[in-house]
Short mmCIF file of all heavy atoms in Angstrom, two decimals:
data_model
loop_
_atom_site.label_atom_id
_atom_site.label_comp_id
_atom_site.label_asym_id
_atom_site.label_seq_id
_atom_site.Cartn_x
_atom_site.Cartn_y
_atom_site.Cartn_z
N ILE I 1 -0.94 4.95 28.03
CA ILE I 1 -1.46 6.16 27.45
C ILE I 1 -2.10 6.96 28.58
O ILE I 1 -2.95 6.45 29.29
CB ILE I 1 -2.51 5.87 26.36
CG1 ILE I 1 -1.96 4.94 25.30
CG2 ILE I 1 -3.03 7.16 25.76
CD1 ILE I 1 -3.00 4.38 24.36
N ASP I 2 -1.69 8.20 28.74
CA ASP I 2 -2.32 9.07 29.74
C ASP I 2 -3.66 9.53 29.21
O ASP I 2 -3.75 10.13 28.14
CB ASP I 2 -1.43 10.28 30.03
CG ASP I 2 -0.17 9.91 30.79
OD1 ASP I 2 -0.20 8.91 31.53
OD2 ASP I 2 0.82 10.64 30.67
N MET I 3 -4.72 9.25 29.96
CA MET I 3 -6.08 9.60 29.54
C MET I 3 -6.88 10.14 30.73
O MET I 3 -7.89 9.56 31.12
CB MET I 3 -6.78 8.38 28.94
CG MET I 3 -6.05 7.77 27.77
SD MET I 3 -6.88 6.30 27.13
CE MET I 3 -8.03 7.08 26.02
N PRO I 4 -6.46 11.26 31.30
CA PRO I 4 -7.21 11.80 32.43
C PRO I 4 -8.59 12.29 32.01
O PRO I 4 -8.78 12.73 30.87
CB PRO I 4 -6.34 12.95 32.91
CG PRO I 4 -5.53 13.35 31.73
CD PRO I 4 -5.32 12.10 30.94
N GLY I 5 -9.54 12.16 32.91
CA GLY I 5 -10.87 12.70 32.65
C GLY I 5 -11.84 11.74 32.01
O GLY I 5 -12.97 12.12 31.71
N VAL I 6 -11.42 10.49 31.74
CA VAL I 6 -12.34 9.50 31.19
C VAL I 6 -12.44 8.32 32.14
O VAL I 6 -11.62 8.15 33.03
CB VAL I 6 -11.92 9.01 29.78
CG1 VAL I 6 -11.93 10.13 28.78
CG2 VAL I 6 -10.58 8.33 29.80
N GLN I 7 -13.46 7.50 31.93
CA GLN I 7 -13.64 6.29 32.72
C GLN I 7 -13.47 5.08 31.82
O GLN I 7 -13.50 5.19 30.59
CB GLN I 7 -15.03 6.29 33.35
CG GLN I 7 -15.25 7.42 34.32
CD GLN I 7 -16.67 7.40 34.88
OE1 GLN I 7 -17.46 6.50 34.60
NE2 GLN I 7 -16.99 8.39 35.68
N LYS I 8 -13.32 3.90 32.43
CA LYS I 8 -13.14 2.66 31.67
C LYS I 8 -14.22 2.48 30.62
O LYS I 8 -13.94 2.08 29.49
CB LYS I 8 -13.16 1.44 32.60
CG LYS I 8 -11.91 1.18 33.33
CD LYS I 8 -11.87 -0.21 33.94
CE LYS I 8 -12.87 -0.40 35.04
NZ LYS I 8 -12.66 -1.67 35.77
N LYS I 9 -15.46 2.78 30.97
CA LYS I 9 -16.58 2.56 30.05
C LYS I 9 -16.50 3.47 28.82
O LYS I 9 -17.14 3.20 27.80
CB LYS I 9 -17.90 2.75 30.77
CG LYS I 9 -18.15 4.16 31.27
CD LYS I 9 -19.49 4.26 31.97
CE LYS I 9 -19.74 5.64 32.49
NZ LYS I 9 -20.05 6.61 31.46
N ASP I 10 -15.72 4.54 28.89
CA ASP I 10 -15.59 5.48 27.78
C ASP I 10 -14.54 5.07 26.74
O ASP I 10 -14.42 5.69 25.70
CB ASP I 10 -15.21 6.87 28.30
CG ASP I 10 -16.22 7.42 29.29
OD1 ASP I 10 -17.42 7.17 29.10
OD2 ASP I 10 -15.79 8.10 30.23
N ILE I 11 -13.77 4.02 27.04
CA ILE I 11 -12.62 3.65 26.21
C ILE I 11 -12.97 2.51 25.27
O ILE I 11 -13.54 1.50 25.67
CB ILE I 11 -11.42 3.24 27.10
CG1 ILE I 11 -11.05 4.38 28.04
CG2 ILE I 11 -10.23 2.84 26.25
CD1 ILE I 11 -10.04 3.99 29.11
N ASP I 12 -12.62 2.68 23.99
CA ASP I 12 -12.82 1.66 22.96
C ASP I 12 -11.45 1.30 22.39
O ASP I 12 -10.75 2.16 21.84
CB ASP I 12 -13.74 2.20 21.85
CG ASP I 12 -14.01 1.18 20.78
OD1 ASP I 12 -14.07 -0.03 21.10
OD2 ASP I 12 -14.17 1.58 19.61
N ILE I 13 -11.07 0.02 22.52
CA ILE I 13 -9.75 -0.45 22.05
C ILE I 13 -9.97 -1.48 20.96
O ILE I 13 -10.77 -2.40 21.11
CB ILE I 13 -8.96 -1.09 23.20
CG1 ILE I 13 -8.79 -0.11 24.35
CG2 ILE I 13 -7.60 -1.58 22.70
CD1 ILE I 13 -8.23 -0.73 25.61
N ASN I 14 -9.23 -1.35 19.85
CA ASN I 14 -9.27 -2.30 18.75
C ASN I 14 -7.85 -2.79 18.48
O ASN I 14 -6.97 -1.99 18.17
CB ASN I 14 -9.87 -1.66 17.49
CG ASN I 14 -10.09 -2.66 16.40
OD1 ASN I 14 -10.22 -3.85 16.65
ND2 ASN I 14 -10.13 -2.19 15.18
N VAL I 15 -7.64 -4.10 18.61
CA VAL I 15 -6.32 -4.69 18.41
C VAL I 15 -6.35 -5.52 17.14
O VAL I 15 -7.17 -6.42 16.99
CB VAL I 15 -5.90 -5.58 19.60
CG1 VAL I 15 -4.53 -6.19 19.38
CG2 VAL I 15 -5.92 -4.79 20.90
N GLU I 16 -5.46 -5.20 16.22
CA GLU I 16 -5.29 -5.94 14.97
C GLU I 16 -3.89 -6.57 14.99
O GLU I 16 -3.06 -6.19 15.82
CB GLU I 16 -5.39 -4.98 13.77
CG GLU I 16 -6.73 -4.27 13.64
CD GLU I 16 -7.83 -5.19 13.16
OE1 GLU I 16 -7.52 -6.16 12.44
OE2 GLU I 16 -8.99 -4.94 13.50
N PRO I 17 -3.59 -7.51 14.11
CA PRO I 17 -2.27 -8.13 14.12
C PRO I 17 -1.11 -7.15 13.95
O PRO I 17 -0.01 -7.40 14.43
CB PRO I 17 -2.32 -9.11 12.95
CG PRO I 17 -3.77 -9.45 12.81
CD PRO I 17 -4.50 -8.18 13.17
N ASN I 18 -1.33 -6.01 13.29
CA ASN I 18 -0.25 -5.04 13.07
C ASN I 18 -0.55 -3.65 13.58
O ASN I 18 0.15 -2.70 13.23
CB ASN I 18 0.10 -4.97 11.57
CG ASN I 18 0.75 -6.23 11.08
OD1 ASN I 18 1.49 -6.88 11.81
ND2 ASN I 18 0.45 -6.62 9.87
N SER I 19 -1.60 -3.49 14.39
CA SER I 19 -1.91 -2.15 14.89
C SER I 19 -2.82 -2.21 16.11
O SER I 19 -3.49 -3.21 16.36
CB SER I 19 -2.58 -1.31 13.81
OG SER I 19 -3.86 -1.83 13.51
N ILE I 20 -2.80 -1.10 16.84
CA ILE I 20 -3.70 -0.91 17.97
C ILE I 20 -4.29 0.48 17.84
O ILE I 20 -3.58 1.44 17.54
CB ILE I 20 -2.96 -1.02 19.32
CG1 ILE I 20 -2.44 -2.44 19.52
CG2 ILE I 20 -3.86 -0.62 20.48
CD1 ILE I 20 -1.61 -2.61 20.77
N SER I 21 -5.61 0.60 18.04
CA SER I 21 -6.23 1.92 18.04
C SER I 21 -7.08 2.07 19.30
O SER I 21 -7.73 1.11 19.74
CB SER I 21 -7.08 2.15 16.79
OG SER I 21 -8.15 1.24 16.75
N VAL I 22 -7.02 3.26 19.86
CA VAL I 22 -7.76 3.55 21.08
C VAL I 22 -8.52 4.86 20.88
O VAL I 22 -7.95 5.84 20.41
CB VAL I 22 -6.80 3.70 22.30
CG1 VAL I 22 -7.57 4.05 23.55
CG2 VAL I 22 -5.97 2.45 22.49
N LYS I 23 -9.80 4.83 21.23
CA LYS I 23 -10.62 6.04 21.18
C LYS I 23 -11.34 6.16 22.51
O LYS I 23 -11.79 5.16 23.07
CB LYS I 23 -11.63 5.98 20.05
CG LYS I 23 -11.01 6.02 18.68
CD LYS I 23 -12.06 5.98 17.60
CE LYS I 23 -11.40 5.97 16.23
NZ LYS I 23 -12.37 5.92 15.15
N ALA I 24 -11.45 7.38 22.99
CA ALA I 24 -12.20 7.62 24.22
C ALA I 24 -12.80 9.01 24.17
O ALA I 24 -12.21 9.94 23.63
CB ALA I 24 -11.29 7.49 25.43
N GLU I 25 -14.01 9.12 24.71
CA GLU I 25 -14.67 10.41 24.78
C GLU I 25 -15.52 10.46 26.03
O GLU I 25 -16.21 9.50 26.36
CB GLU I 25 -15.55 10.62 23.55
CG GLU I 25 -16.19 11.99 23.51
CD GLU I 25 -16.95 12.22 22.22
OE1 GLU I 25 -16.79 11.47 21.26
OE2 GLU I 25 -17.72 13.20 22.20
N ASN I 26 -15.43 11.57 26.72
CA ASN I 26 -16.18 11.73 27.97
C ASN I 26 -17.18 12.87 27.79
O ASN I 26 -16.89 14.00 28.16
CB ASN I 26 -15.24 12.01 29.13
CG ASN I 26 -15.96 12.07 30.45
OD1 ASN I 26 -17.15 11.84 30.52
ND2 ASN I 26 -15.24 12.40 31.50
N GLY I 27 -18.31 12.57 27.21
CA GLY I 27 -19.36 13.57 27.06
C GLY I 27 -18.93 14.80 26.27
O GLY I 27 -19.46 15.88 26.49
N GLY I 28 -17.98 14.67 25.38
CA GLY I 28 -17.53 15.80 24.58
C GLY I 28 -16.51 16.69 25.27
O GLY I 28 -15.94 17.57 24.66
N LYS I 29 -16.28 16.48 26.57
CA LYS I 29 -15.32 17.32 27.29
C LYS I 29 -13.89 16.90 26.99
O LYS I 29 -13.02 17.74 26.83
CB LYS I 29 -15.57 17.23 28.80
CG LYS I 29 -16.91 17.76 29.22
CD LYS I 29 -17.13 17.58 30.70
CE LYS I 29 -18.52 18.03 31.10
NZ LYS I 29 -18.77 17.82 32.52
N ARG I 30 -13.66 15.61 26.95
CA ARG I 30 -12.32 15.07 26.66
C ARG I 30 -12.42 14.07 25.53
O ARG I 30 -13.29 13.21 25.53
CB ARG I 30 -11.75 14.36 27.89
CG ARG I 30 -11.60 15.19 29.11
CD ARG I 30 -10.22 15.73 29.17
NE ARG I 30 -10.06 16.50 30.39
CZ ARG I 30 -8.93 16.75 30.94
NH1 ARG I 30 -7.83 16.29 30.41
NH2 ARG I 30 -8.84 17.47 32.02
N LYS I 31 -11.52 14.18 24.56
CA LYS I 31 -11.46 13.22 23.46
C LYS I 31 -10.03 12.75 23.29
O LYS I 31 -9.09 13.56 23.34
CB LYS I 31 -11.92 13.86 22.14
CG LYS I 31 -13.38 14.17 22.08
CD LYS I 31 -13.75 14.72 20.72
CE LYS I 31 -15.22 15.05 20.66
NZ LYS I 31 -15.59 15.55 19.33
N TYR I 32 -9.88 11.45 23.10
CA TYR I 32 -8.57 10.87 22.86
C TYR I 32 -8.66 9.95 21.65
O TYR I 32 -9.63 9.22 21.48
CB TYR I 32 -8.10 10.05 24.07
CG TYR I 32 -7.94 10.87 25.32
CD1 TYR I 32 -8.98 10.97 26.25
CD2 TYR I 32 -6.77 11.55 25.57
CE1 TYR I 32 -8.84 11.73 27.40
CE2 TYR I 32 -6.62 12.31 26.72
CZ TYR I 32 -7.66 12.39 27.62
OH TYR I 32 -7.51 13.15 28.76
N ASN I 33 -7.64 10.01 20.82
CA ASN I 33 -7.56 9.15 19.65
C ASN I 33 -6.10 8.76 19.49
O ASN I 33 -5.25 9.62 19.25
CB ASN I 33 -8.07 9.89 18.41
CG ASN I 33 -8.25 8.96 17.24
OD1 ASN I 33 -8.15 7.75 17.36
ND2 ASN I 33 -8.51 9.54 16.08
N TYR I 34 -5.80 7.47 19.64
CA TYR I 34 -4.43 6.97 19.59
C TYR I 34 -4.38 5.81 18.61
O TYR I 34 -5.19 4.89 18.70
CB TYR I 34 -4.00 6.51 20.99
CG TYR I 34 -2.65 5.86 21.04
CD1 TYR I 34 -1.50 6.62 21.15
CD2 TYR I 34 -2.53 4.48 21.01
CE1 TYR I 34 -0.26 6.02 21.21
CE2 TYR I 34 -1.29 3.87 21.07
CZ TYR I 34 -0.17 4.64 21.17
OH TYR I 34 1.07 4.04 21.22
N ASN I 35 -3.44 5.86 17.68
CA ASN I 35 -3.23 4.78 16.72
C ASN I 35 -1.75 4.43 16.70
O ASN I 35 -0.91 5.33 16.64
CB ASN I 35 -3.67 5.18 15.31
CG ASN I 35 -5.16 5.38 15.24
OD1 ASN I 35 -5.91 4.46 15.46
ND2 ASN I 35 -5.59 6.60 14.95
N ARG I 36 -1.46 3.15 16.72
CA ARG I 36 -0.07 2.70 16.68
C ARG I 36 0.03 1.52 15.73
O ARG I 36 -0.66 0.53 15.87
CB ARG I 36 0.36 2.29 18.09
CG ARG I 36 1.73 1.70 18.21
CD ARG I 36 2.78 2.77 18.03
NE ARG I 36 4.08 2.17 18.00
CZ ARG I 36 5.11 2.59 18.69
NH1 ARG I 36 4.99 3.63 19.46
NH2 ARG I 36 6.25 1.98 18.60
N ARG I 37 0.89 1.66 14.71
CA ARG I 37 1.17 0.58 13.76
C ARG I 37 2.55 0.05 14.06
O ARG I 37 3.43 0.79 14.48
CB ARG I 37 1.09 1.09 12.33
CG ARG I 37 -0.31 1.59 11.97
CD ARG I 37 -0.45 1.88 10.51
NE ARG I 37 -0.37 0.70 9.67
CZ ARG I 37 -1.37 -0.16 9.46
NH1 ARG I 37 -2.51 0.01 10.05
NH2 ARG I 37 -1.21 -1.20 8.66
N PHE I 38 2.76 -1.24 13.82
CA PHE I 38 4.06 -1.85 14.07
C PHE I 38 4.26 -3.02 13.13
O PHE I 38 3.32 -3.57 12.58
CB PHE I 38 4.19 -2.30 15.53
CG PHE I 38 2.93 -2.83 16.12
CD1 PHE I 38 2.55 -4.14 15.93
CD2 PHE I 38 2.11 -2.02 16.86
CE1 PHE I 38 1.38 -4.64 16.46
CE2 PHE I 38 0.93 -2.50 17.42
CZ PHE I 38 0.57 -3.81 17.21
N LYS I 39 5.53 -3.36 12.93
CA LYS I 39 5.87 -4.43 11.99
C LYS I 39 5.63 -5.83 12.57
O LYS I 39 5.07 -6.66 11.91
CB LYS I 39 7.31 -4.30 11.52
CG LYS I 39 7.50 -3.15 10.58
CD LYS I 39 8.89 -3.12 10.04
CE LYS I 39 9.07 -1.93 9.11
NZ LYS I 39 10.39 -1.88 8.54
N PRO I 40 6.10 -6.10 13.78
CA PRO I 40 5.90 -7.48 14.26
C PRO I 40 4.42 -7.79 14.45
O PRO I 40 3.66 -6.94 14.91
CB PRO I 40 6.61 -7.53 15.60
CG PRO I 40 7.16 -6.19 15.86
CD PRO I 40 6.80 -5.29 14.72
N THR I 41 4.04 -8.95 14.06
CA THR I 41 2.65 -9.36 14.25
C THR I 41 2.44 -9.73 15.71
O THR I 41 3.29 -10.33 16.33
CB THR I 41 2.34 -10.57 13.35
OG1 THR I 41 2.61 -10.21 12.00
CG2 THR I 41 0.91 -10.99 13.47
N VAL I 42 1.30 -9.36 16.26
CA VAL I 42 1.00 -9.67 17.65
C VAL I 42 -0.11 -10.70 17.75
O VAL I 42 -0.92 -10.85 16.84
CB VAL I 42 0.61 -8.41 18.45
CG1 VAL I 42 1.73 -7.40 18.48
CG2 VAL I 42 -0.66 -7.78 17.93
N ASP I 43 -0.14 -11.40 18.85
CA ASP I 43 -1.18 -12.36 19.15
C ASP I 43 -2.38 -11.58 19.68
O ASP I 43 -2.38 -11.14 20.83
CB ASP I 43 -0.68 -13.37 20.16
CG ASP I 43 -1.71 -14.42 20.53
OD1 ASP I 43 -2.79 -14.45 19.89
OD2 ASP I 43 -1.44 -15.22 21.44
N VAL I 44 -3.38 -11.39 18.86
CA VAL I 44 -4.55 -10.58 19.21
C VAL I 44 -5.24 -11.14 20.46
O VAL I 44 -5.72 -10.40 21.30
CB VAL I 44 -5.53 -10.51 18.02
CG1 VAL I 44 -6.80 -9.78 18.39
CG2 VAL I 44 -4.86 -9.85 16.83
N ASP I 45 -5.25 -12.46 20.60
CA ASP I 45 -5.92 -13.09 21.74
C ASP I 45 -5.19 -12.84 23.06
O ASP I 45 -5.77 -13.02 24.12
CB ASP I 45 -6.07 -14.59 21.51
CG ASP I 45 -7.00 -14.90 20.35
OD1 ASP I 45 -7.95 -14.12 20.13
OD2 ASP I 45 -6.76 -15.91 19.66
N SER I 46 -3.94 -12.43 23.00
CA SER I 46 -3.18 -12.18 24.23
C SER I 46 -3.35 -10.76 24.76
O SER I 46 -2.85 -10.43 25.82
CB SER I 46 -1.69 -12.44 23.98
OG SER I 46 -1.12 -11.39 23.20
N ALA I 47 -4.05 -9.91 24.03
CA ALA I 47 -4.19 -8.50 24.39
C ALA I 47 -4.93 -8.34 25.73
O ALA I 47 -5.95 -8.97 25.95
CB ALA I 47 -4.91 -7.73 23.30
N LYS I 48 -4.36 -7.49 26.58
CA LYS I 48 -4.97 -7.17 27.87
C LYS I 48 -4.81 -5.67 28.11
O LYS I 48 -3.81 -5.08 27.71
CB LYS I 48 -4.28 -7.93 29.00
CG LYS I 48 -4.47 -9.42 28.91
CD LYS I 48 -3.77 -10.13 30.04
CE LYS I 48 -3.92 -11.63 29.85
NZ LYS I 48 -3.16 -12.38 30.82
N ALA I 49 -5.79 -5.09 28.76
CA ALA I 49 -5.73 -3.66 29.06
C ALA I 49 -6.15 -3.41 30.50
O ALA I 49 -7.08 -4.05 30.99
CB ALA I 49 -6.61 -2.87 28.11
N THR I 50 -5.45 -2.48 31.15
CA THR I 50 -5.84 -2.05 32.49
C THR I 50 -5.90 -0.52 32.48
O THR I 50 -5.19 0.13 31.72
CB THR I 50 -4.83 -2.51 33.56
OG1 THR I 50 -3.53 -2.02 33.24
CG2 THR I 50 -4.79 -4.02 33.66
N PHE I 51 -6.77 0.02 33.32
CA PHE I 51 -6.92 1.47 33.41
C PHE I 51 -6.97 1.84 34.88
O PHE I 51 -7.85 1.40 35.61
CB PHE I 51 -8.22 1.90 32.70
CG PHE I 51 -8.39 3.38 32.61
CD1 PHE I 51 -7.56 4.14 31.81
CD2 PHE I 51 -9.40 4.01 33.30
CE1 PHE I 51 -7.72 5.50 31.70
CE2 PHE I 51 -9.58 5.38 33.21
CZ PHE I 51 -8.73 6.13 32.40
N LYS I 52 -5.99 2.64 35.30
CA LYS I 52 -5.91 3.02 36.71
C LYS I 52 -5.36 4.43 36.81
O LYS I 52 -4.34 4.75 36.20
CB LYS I 52 -5.01 2.05 37.47
CG LYS I 52 -4.98 2.28 38.96
CD LYS I 52 -4.19 1.20 39.66
CE LYS I 52 -4.20 1.44 41.15
NZ LYS I 52 -3.45 0.42 41.86
N ASN I 53 -6.03 5.26 37.57
CA ASN I 53 -5.60 6.64 37.81
C ASN I 53 -5.35 7.42 36.52
O ASN I 53 -4.38 8.16 36.39
CB ASN I 53 -4.36 6.68 38.69
CG ASN I 53 -4.61 6.12 40.07
OD1 ASN I 53 -5.70 6.27 40.62
ND2 ASN I 53 -3.62 5.46 40.64
N GLY I 54 -6.21 7.22 35.51
CA GLY I 54 -6.10 7.96 34.27
C GLY I 54 -5.04 7.46 33.31
O GLY I 54 -4.74 8.12 32.32
N VAL I 55 -4.46 6.28 33.58
CA VAL I 55 -3.42 5.72 32.71
C VAL I 55 -3.90 4.38 32.16
O VAL I 55 -4.23 3.47 32.91
CB VAL I 55 -2.08 5.53 33.47
CG1 VAL I 55 -1.04 4.89 32.57
CG2 VAL I 55 -1.59 6.86 34.01
N LEU I 56 -3.94 4.28 30.83
CA LEU I 56 -4.32 3.05 30.15
C LEU I 56 -3.05 2.30 29.78
O LEU I 56 -2.15 2.84 29.15
CB LEU I 56 -5.12 3.37 28.88
CG LEU I 56 -5.54 2.18 28.02
CD1 LEU I 56 -6.54 1.30 28.77
CD2 LEU I 56 -6.12 2.66 26.70
N ASP I 57 -2.99 1.03 30.18
CA ASP I 57 -1.83 0.18 29.89
C ASP I 57 -2.32 -1.01 29.08
O ASP I 57 -3.19 -1.76 29.53
CB ASP I 57 -1.18 -0.28 31.19
CG ASP I 57 0.09 -1.07 30.97
OD1 ASP I 57 0.80 -0.78 29.99
OD2 ASP I 57 0.38 -1.97 31.78
N ILE I 58 -1.76 -1.18 27.87
CA ILE I 58 -2.14 -2.28 26.98
C ILE I 58 -0.92 -3.16 26.78
O ILE I 58 0.17 -2.67 26.47
CB ILE I 58 -2.61 -1.76 25.61
CG1 ILE I 58 -3.79 -0.81 25.78
CG2 ILE I 58 -2.98 -2.92 24.69
CD1 ILE I 58 -4.17 -0.08 24.51
N THR I 59 -1.10 -4.47 26.96
CA THR I 59 -0.02 -5.42 26.72
C THR I 59 -0.48 -6.46 25.71
O THR I 59 -1.62 -6.92 25.75
CB THR I 59 0.44 -6.11 28.01
OG1 THR I 59 -0.68 -6.77 28.60
CG2 THR I 59 1.02 -5.13 29.00
N VAL I 60 0.42 -6.82 24.80
CA VAL I 60 0.18 -7.88 23.82
C VAL I 60 1.46 -8.69 23.66
O VAL I 60 2.55 -8.17 23.86
CB VAL I 60 -0.27 -7.34 22.45
CG1 VAL I 60 -1.64 -6.73 22.51
CG2 VAL I 60 0.71 -6.35 21.89
N SER I 61 1.30 -9.94 23.28
CA SER I 61 2.47 -10.80 23.03
C SER I 61 2.80 -10.78 21.55
O SER I 61 1.90 -10.81 20.70
CB SER I 61 2.17 -12.23 23.47
OG SER I 61 1.94 -12.29 24.84
N LYS I 62 4.07 -10.74 21.26
CA LYS I 62 4.52 -10.75 19.88
C LYS I 62 4.57 -12.19 19.38
O LYS I 62 4.98 -13.09 20.10
CB LYS I 62 5.91 -10.12 19.80
CG LYS I 62 6.45 -10.00 18.39
CD LYS I 62 7.74 -9.22 18.37
CE LYS I 62 8.89 -10.14 18.55
NZ LYS I 62 10.19 -9.52 18.32
N ILE I 63 4.14 -12.39 18.15
CA ILE I 63 4.25 -13.71 17.52
C ILE I 63 5.59 -13.76 16.82
O ILE I 63 5.96 -12.84 16.09
CB ILE I 63 3.11 -13.93 16.50
CG1 ILE I 63 1.77 -13.98 17.20
CG2 ILE I 63 3.35 -15.21 15.71
CD1 ILE I 63 0.59 -14.09 16.25
N ASP I 64 6.32 -14.83 17.06
CA ASP I 64 7.62 -14.99 16.41
C ASP I 64 7.38 -15.14 14.91
O ASP I 64 6.69 -16.05 14.47
CB ASP I 64 8.33 -16.22 16.96
CG ASP I 64 9.75 -16.36 16.45
OD1 ASP I 64 10.21 -15.47 15.71
OD2 ASP I 64 10.40 -17.36 16.80
N SER I 65 7.96 -14.23 14.13
CA SER I 65 7.72 -14.23 12.69
C SER I 65 8.59 -15.25 11.95
O SER I 65 8.44 -15.44 10.77
CB SER I 65 7.96 -12.84 12.12
OG SER I 65 9.29 -12.45 12.34
N THR I 66 9.51 -15.90 12.67
CA THR I 66 10.36 -16.90 12.04
C THR I 66 9.58 -18.21 11.98
O THR I 66 9.22 -18.76 13.01
CB THR I 66 11.65 -17.12 12.85
OG1 THR I 66 12.28 -15.87 13.04
CG2 THR I 66 12.58 -18.07 12.15
N PRO I 67 9.32 -18.72 10.77
CA PRO I 67 8.58 -19.98 10.68
C PRO I 67 9.39 -21.11 11.33
O PRO I 67 10.59 -21.22 11.14
CB PRO I 67 8.43 -20.21 9.19
CG PRO I 67 8.88 -19.00 8.51
CD PRO I 67 9.67 -18.18 9.49
N LYS I 68 8.70 -21.91 12.10
CA LYS I 68 9.35 -23.04 12.75
C LYS I 68 8.69 -24.32 12.30
O LYS I 68 7.50 -24.35 12.01
CB LYS I 68 9.22 -22.92 14.28
CG LYS I 68 9.99 -21.75 14.83
CD LYS I 68 9.91 -21.75 16.33
CE LYS I 68 10.72 -20.58 16.87
NZ LYS I 68 10.70 -20.51 18.32
N GLY I 69 9.50 -25.36 12.26
CA GLY I 69 8.96 -26.66 11.91
C GLY I 69 8.19 -27.27 13.08
O GLY I 69 8.24 -26.77 14.19
N LYS I 70 7.51 -28.36 12.78
CA LYS I 70 6.71 -29.01 13.81
C LYS I 70 6.87 -30.50 13.64
O LYS I 70 6.79 -31.03 12.52
CB LYS I 70 5.24 -28.61 13.64
CG LYS I 70 4.30 -29.25 14.60
CD LYS I 70 2.89 -28.78 14.34
CE LYS I 70 1.91 -29.57 15.17
NZ LYS I 70 0.53 -29.17 14.87
N SER I 71 7.10 -31.19 14.73
CA SER I 71 7.23 -32.64 14.70
C SER I 71 5.83 -33.25 14.87
O SER I 71 5.09 -32.85 15.75
CB SER I 71 8.15 -33.10 15.84
OG SER I 71 8.25 -34.49 15.82
N ILE I 72 5.51 -34.21 14.01
CA ILE I 72 4.22 -34.87 14.10
C ILE I 72 4.42 -36.38 14.15
O ILE I 72 5.45 -36.90 13.74
CB ILE I 72 3.29 -34.49 12.93
CG1 ILE I 72 3.92 -34.90 11.60
CG2 ILE I 72 2.96 -33.02 12.95
CD1 ILE I 72 2.98 -34.78 10.42
N LYS I 73 3.42 -37.07 14.67
CA LYS I 73 3.47 -38.53 14.77
C LYS I 73 2.69 -39.14 13.61
O LYS I 73 1.67 -38.61 13.18
CB LYS I 73 2.88 -38.98 16.09
CG LYS I 73 3.70 -38.59 17.28
CD LYS I 73 3.11 -39.16 18.54
CE LYS I 73 3.96 -38.73 19.73
NZ LYS I 73 3.49 -39.32 20.98
N VAL I 74 3.19 -40.27 13.14
CA VAL I 74 2.50 -41.00 12.07
C VAL I 74 1.35 -41.78 12.71
O VAL I 74 1.53 -42.45 13.74
CB VAL I 74 3.47 -41.97 11.37
CG1 VAL I 74 2.72 -42.79 10.32
CG2 VAL I 74 4.61 -41.21 10.75
N GLN I 75 0.19 -41.73 12.10
CA GLN I 75 -0.97 -42.45 12.66
C GLN I 75 -1.34 -43.63 11.80
O GLN I 75 -1.17 -43.68 10.64
CB GLN I 75 -2.14 -41.50 12.76
CG GLN I 75 -1.86 -40.40 13.75
CD GLN I 75 -3.07 -39.50 13.93
OE1 GLN I 75 -4.18 -39.80 13.50
NE2 GLN I 75 -2.85 -38.39 14.60
#
């Protein structure tokens, strides 16, 4: 997301399993509001964000929505 005119401390990111929202404000001079909804569920704990030269980059891992079996040992 291009966000010129703000600093890292001005950015608020909220990651949910089906959406990401970003808000930023720099003393009222610049305001950004970004919301993105998606169908695949994401691993919220995998979310990472970097901010460099006015560009915010957010990465998350997708959770495979296909249920898989699990092998267990008898105790």
Side-chain angles (χ1 to χ4, degrees):
I1 305 168
D2 290 333
M3 302 178 86
V6 297
Q7 297 178 4
K8 281 194 293 190
K9 65 179 179 73
D10 302 324
I11 302 171
D12 182 33
I13 303 170
N14 187 23
V15 180
E16 298 287 332
N18 291 326
S19 67
I20 294 176
S21 63
V22 178
K23 293 181 182 180
E25 184 175 346
N26 185 4
K29 296 177 184 178
R30 300 266 182 158
K31 290 183 181 182
Y32 298 94
N33 191 9
Y34 174 84
N35 293 298
R36 175 72 186 228
R37 297 190 67 80
F38 36 83
K39 288 185 181 181
T41 302
V42 298
D43 180 7
V44 175
D45 294 327
S46 74
K48 295 180 183 174
T50 58
F51 186 68
K52 186 174 181 180
N53 297 326
V55 177
L56 178 66
D57 185 32
I58 302 171
T59 57
V60 292
S61 297
K62 184 173 89 170
I63 295 176
D64 187 3
S65 61
T66 306
K68 293 184 179 180
K70 178 180 172 183
S71 179
I72 60 171
K73 292 184 180 183
V74 176
Q75 295 184 12

